[in-house]
Amino acid sequence: MRFLPRIAFLVALAGAALLLISGPGVRLELWEFPTGFRMMRWATFLGLGGLALVLIVVLVPGLRRSAIGWWVPALLLAAVSVYLPWQALESARQVPPIHDITTDTVDPPAFVALREVRARYPNPSDYPGEEVARQQREAYPDLDTLRLAEPAERGFERALDAAREMGWEIAAVDPEDGRIEATATTFWYGFRDDVVIRVRADNAESLVDVRSVSRVGRSDAGANAQRIRSYLERLEDQG
């Protein structure tokens, strides 16, 4: 029994380490994202195992007092290994399993320059249609075309500046077509999602629409919608 606190610590440490490398490994292309997701799931199982062992240690008075230097770190590591994947799963469950989000579901901006690149990945460039639009409207009713009180030429400049400030990799800038295409890379897993921005004139004002689409995965866990929100907020703040 005296080795149990150390075993609990090692199990919890293994779970935390697995969680720590799961995302960066995908980002560094050491393994594919399904493997990274499986590693995160295994990290959760190890975390639960660590918590169970810590509980046993705590219930044994002699171990609880003498091995506090082992089981307290084990408790913290195990809690992290369980909580972070659970939180990510719960966040994903709150949104529909879609990955193509746009401010204009009737006439969404289209990819041109990135179309060839996107052809190498599972998710298509063409908008998937009304069923996805319906799910988006229910989940993200706040996403809509942004109207800027200035001419389209100035609106396009602001849209481009905001895209650059977001840290996106700009792939195409077409002022005549009012189109900007870019690629955003997520922090943890390094997923590359593509964005197309369209700026059109409406008398003396500008209409800005944005579309953000994942290259892989059925669900984006709300990432594309949040990206569009952040971009539009930044664009409005420029005014």
Side-chain angles (χ1 to χ4, degrees):
M1 290 289 287
R2 67 180 183 277
F3 296 111
L4 193 59
R6 298 185 183 185
I7 294 173
F9 174 77
L10 291 175
V11 171
L13 180 62
L18 204 58
L19 180 64
L20 182 64
I21 66 174
S22 61
V26 177
R27 190 182 184 100
L28 295 173
E29 299 183 350
L30 299 178
W31 46 75
E32 298 295 327
F33 77 91
T35 299
F37 287 169
R38 284 194 293 270
M39 292 170 70
M40 187 167 64
R41 184 166 62 248
W42 297 335
T44 304
F45 294 151
L46 287 170
L48 290 171
L51 288 175
L53 292 173
V54 167
L55 178 61
I56 295 173
V57 171
V58 170
L59 291 176
V60 179
L63 286 178
R64 183 175 66 235
R65 290 193 299 269
S66 63
I68 191 170
W70 289 104
W71 69 261
V72 170
L75 176 63
L76 296 175
L77 290 171
V80 169
S81 300
V82 172
Y83 176 73
L84 291 181
W86 172 82
Q87 184 185 51
L89 180 61
E90 284 301 301
S91 296
R93 285 175 173 169
Q94 301 302 314
V95 297
I98 56 178
H99 57 260
D100 193 331
I101 308 298
T102 177
T103 56
D104 186 348
T105 58
V106 176
D107 181 22
F111 290 103
V112 177
L114 287 172
R115 197 173 185 86
E116 183 176 346
V117 174
R118 291 190 56 81
R120 306 171 197 161
Y121 295 89
N123 293 343
S125 294
D126 293 335
Y127 189 69
E130 177 55 31
E131 176 56 27
V132 168
R134 180 190 63 77
Q135 294 182 64
Q136 178 190 310
R137 287 193 295 268
E138 293 178 356
Y140 315 117
D142 58 307
L143 296 184
D144 201 356
T145 302
L146 176 64
R147 180 179 292 272
L148 299 177
E150 52 193 19
E153 181 177 345
R154 174 55 186 155
F156 185 85
E157 292 175 358
R158 281 181 56 182
L160 180 57
D161 288 343
R164 287 172 172 157
E165 290 174 6
M166 293 289 292
W168 299 339
E169 178 184 344
I170 305 299
V173 178
D174 189 340
E176 292 186 4
D177 196 30
R179 175 174 43 82
I180 302 165
E181 296 182 56
T183 299
T185 303
T186 64
F187 170 72
W188 190 247
Y189 280 94
F191 291 131
R192 293 173 66 79
D193 302 334
D194 297 312
V195 181
V196 54
I197 303 161
R198 182 181 64 203
V199 181
R200 295 183 293 184
D202 184 27
N203 296 320
E205 297 184 323
S206 305
L207 300 179
V208 182
D209 283 296
V210 189
R211 181 180 170 205
S212 184
V213 190
S214 303
R215 292 184 181 180
V216 297
R218 183 187 176 199
S219 174
D220 64 5
N224 286 302
Q226 185 55 48
R227 180 178 297 117
I228 292 175
R229 286 195 194 99
S230 298
Y231 173 77
L232 294 178
E233 288 172 2
R234 185 178 294 266
L235 188 54
E236 286 185 298
D237 289 343
Q238 289 181 347

